[in-house]
């Protein structure tokens, strides 16, 4: 919040569209920080749980943006990030709150 006093903050979460809805491709192992989890994507309930976890993450990021009164621009890995950023450039004047 102190940074906002002198700068315009913009949240830029990066994601791949496949993150939101994982297809049925068998078992997948996810690992981060020396921990791993396996998801059997052949199980429809596992895919449903994965979708719910993605939505919870999305909601959390959106909540943080609202709480900080900061614009949120989702950057898709399948779209040129420069195009995405320039598409929001015209709204830059409305970013200050």
């Amino acid at each position: 919040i102190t940074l906002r006093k002198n700068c315009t903050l913009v949240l830029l979460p990066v994601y791949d569209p496949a993150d939101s809805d994982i297809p049925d491709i068998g078992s997948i192992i996810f690992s981060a920080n020396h921990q791993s989890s396996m998801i059997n994507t052949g199980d429809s309930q596992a895919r449903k749980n994965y979708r719910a976890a993605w939505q919870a993450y999305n909601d959390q990021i959106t909540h943080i943006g609202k709480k900080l009164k900061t614009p949120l621009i989702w950057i898709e890995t399948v779209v040129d990030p420069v195009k995405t950023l320039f598409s929001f450039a015209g709204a830059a004047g409305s970013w200050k709150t």
Side-chain angles (χ1 to χ4, degrees), residues 22-49:
I22 201 161
D24 178 356
I25 55 174
S27 295
I28 299 176
I29 296 175
F30 294 90
S31 63
N33 300 324
H34 305 291
Q35 295 180 346
S36 63
S37 298
M38 185 179 78
I39 296 177
N40 177 5
T41 64
D43 179 354
S44 62
Q45 186 61 46
R47 288 194 315 274
K48 184 178 178 181
N49 293 344

Side-chain angles (χ1 to χ4, degrees), residues 26 69 91:
K69 298 178 183 171

